[in-house]
Amino acid sequence: MQALGNLATINGAPLLNTSLWRKTDRGLCSTFAGSSTFTGLFCKKAFLGNNCIEKTGDLFVRATWRFFGGGGGKSTNASIEHSEAALEDVLLFYFQLDLETRVQYCLNTEQYDIAKMFRDKLNEVEAGIIKQQQAKRGSSKSEAQDKELKILTLRADIKKAIESENYDVAAKLRDEVSKLETEALTASAKALAFENVEYAFRLGQQVQHKVFGYRAVICGMDSVCCESKLWMEKANIDKLSRGPNQPFYQVLVDVYADPNLLVAYVAEENLLAREEQDKGRFDHPYTPFLFYGTDTAGDFIPIRQLREKFDRPRYEPPYEQGDDGTGDA
């Protein structure tokens, strides 16, 4: 297998920002072992030229650390909350950022043909991101709109059936419209609830897992659990007091707590805010491209694109006397 930073090239130049990837590497060994999404996006001969890697099956991303921290190199029971979907979401976001940078660089240097190739690849990545978002349970708004459009079509069919005196057909269509109206109303109510959800935690906030005790940083959020039924069964979501219909968070796990977990998907009720400012060491390969750094409270500052992705406002830590050196020592 080949290292991720050397995987994709075009005209001899790396597709991924290898300098940034080396910065995030810090002992991380990331490899492609064949993921449908990533194979489709990054393993096409027309794009990768002579450095193409043939598709060898379903693709997934495997990431492990060459050093072992406090966990002694062994995964804890927290591995039940590992999410391939959350990991893929984070990596797709990275590829999107990198491609946007490369498109702009090529435009600035008047390399328009290469810029177009990068833009085409960026469009594929963005389409993959949209597909992911639509697959989530929070997409009830579009579901309600689809049902309303179908209702309009059926009402037109009812009018035609009555005009042609096909009253049995008209009656069946009315029953179908009544059913769709109920479903559309339910979907609209869910969509409204998803839009108005209140999150207990914010992007970049350092948290602690109530059950497993590890430290983590919030890097994404969903209004409800958007994982598969199989994942929910494995993660014992049915045993949670609030079940799957509560906010769930993508979290970066401190590699010294569990070097093999990396990205977990955790229910809100299983997370605790840190009571005291936590300015201790937190190691994770993805923090350099998701966050600018840390604030005065020790929490991470999300980049603008990450805030826009989840429609989160900019957070300013509360001012404390002495922060500017003018208060008490």
Side-chain angles (χ1 to χ4, degrees):
M1 295 182 185
Q2 299 187 35
L4 181 61
N6 298 324
L7 195 69
T9 63
I10 177 170
N11 296 341
L15 167 62
L16 301 180
N17 187 331
T18 52
S19 61
L20 177 57
W21 187 259
R22 281 195 294 270
K23 181 181 179 183
T24 64
D25 190 7
R26 296 181 182 176
L28 180 70
C29 178
S30 298
T31 58
F32 281 115
S35 127
S36 58
T37 300
F38 289 94
T39 296
L41 293 177
F42 297 102
C43 294
K44 293 182 178 178
K45 283 187 176 179
F47 186 75
L48 300 180
N50 296 329
N51 295 299
C52 174
I53 293 179
E54 297 289 348
K55 181 175 179 181
T56 57
D58 291 336
L59 183 66
F60 62 92
V61 176
R62 179 179 295 136
T64 57
W65 281 79
R66 297 193 183 105
F67 69 88
F68 301 109
K74 298 179 180 179
S75 295
T76 65
N77 290 333
S79 61
I80 64 172
E81 293 180 336
H82 169 73
S83 170
E84 288 290 339
L87 177 59
E88 185 173 282
D89 186 65
V90 173
L91 291 179
L92 274 176
F93 181 66
Y94 166 69
F95 293 139
Q96 181 185 23
L97 293 177
D98 189 80
L99 285 167
E100 287 175 350
T101 301
R102 289 182 175 276
V103 168
Q104 189 59 54
Y105 174 79
C106 289
L107 292 175
N108 292 344
T109 56
E110 299 183 356
Q111 301 179 62
Y112 300 117
D113 290 341
I114 297 178
K116 182 180 183 303
M117 296 179 75
F118 280 130
R119 166 54 65 184
D120 292 342
K121 190 55 57 177
L122 177 59
N123 290 338
E124 291 184 47
V125 173
E126 291 175 341
I129 292 173
I130 292 173
K131 186 176 180 180
Q132 278 186 334
Q133 293 173 341
Q134 290 177 341
K136 291 186 175 183
R137 291 177 58 187
S139 60
S140 298
K141 185 174 183 179
S142 59
E143 180 184 349
Q145 291 172 343
D146 290 341
K147 291 184 183 298
E148 288 170 357
L149 288 174
K150 192 171 183 180
I151 288 171
L152 291 175
T153 301
L154 288 174
R155 283 177 175 165
D157 292 339
I158 290 173
K159 183 178 179 180
K160 291 179 181 179
I162 292 174
E163 289 174 351
S164 59
E165 299 183 356
N166 291 327
Y167 300 116
D168 290 340
V169 173
K172 290 179 181 179
L173 291 175
R174 283 197 190 97
D175 292 340
E176 191 172 349
V177 166
S178 179
K179 180 181 178 182
L180 283 173
E181 285 176 339
T182 302
E183 293 175 354
L185 184 62
T186 302
S188 297
K190 284 184 178 180
L192 185 61
F194 295 154
E195 291 175 359
N196 296 332
V197 66
E198 293 185 6
Y199 294 99
F201 305 102
R202 64 183 181 276
L203 289 173
Q205 185 174 0
Q206 288 207 46
V207 292
Q208 185 171 4
H209 200 288
K210 285 183 181 179
V211 179
F212 303 120
Y214 62 70
R215 295 166 61 219
V217 173
I218 304 292
C219 69
M221 51 191 61
D222 294 316
S223 54
V224 294
C225 182
C226 296
E227 268 286 359
S228 65
K229 290 183 179 180
L230 182 62
W231 184 91
M232 291 188 202
E233 291 175 1
K234 181 181 176 182
N236 300 319
I237 301 302
D238 60 324
K239 296 181 180 179
L240 297 174
S241 61
R242 295 167 61 186
N245 294 317
Q246 62 175 304
F248 272 69
Y249 298 85
Q250 296 173 7
V251 300
L252 306 181
V253 180
D254 184 2
V255 296
Y256 282 93
D258 190 324
N260 296 315
L261 185 53
L262 284 184
V263 180
Y265 196 56
V266 188
E268 187 171 85
E269 69 178 77
N270 276 342
L271 294 176
L272 285 171
R274 307 286 290 183
E275 294 183 0
E276 300 179 356
Q277 291 185 358
D278 190 349
K279 298 183 181 179
R281 178 174 178 175
F282 184 95
D283 275 316
H284 197 284
Y286 301 160
T287 54
F289 68 85
L290 292 175
F291 306 103
Y292 291 118
T294 55
D295 58 25
T296 56
D299 290 320
F300 285 82
I301 304 170
I303 62 174
R304 172 183 54 81
Q305 295 91 330
L306 187 63
R307 288 191 288 104
E308 291 176 349
K309 177 182 178 181
F310 294 100
D311 193 24
R312 296 288 91 194
R314 181 173 178 175
Y315 172 78
E316 296 290 346
Y319 173 80
E320 294 184 6
Q321 190 177 13
D323 281 351
D324 59 357
T326 59
D328 296 336

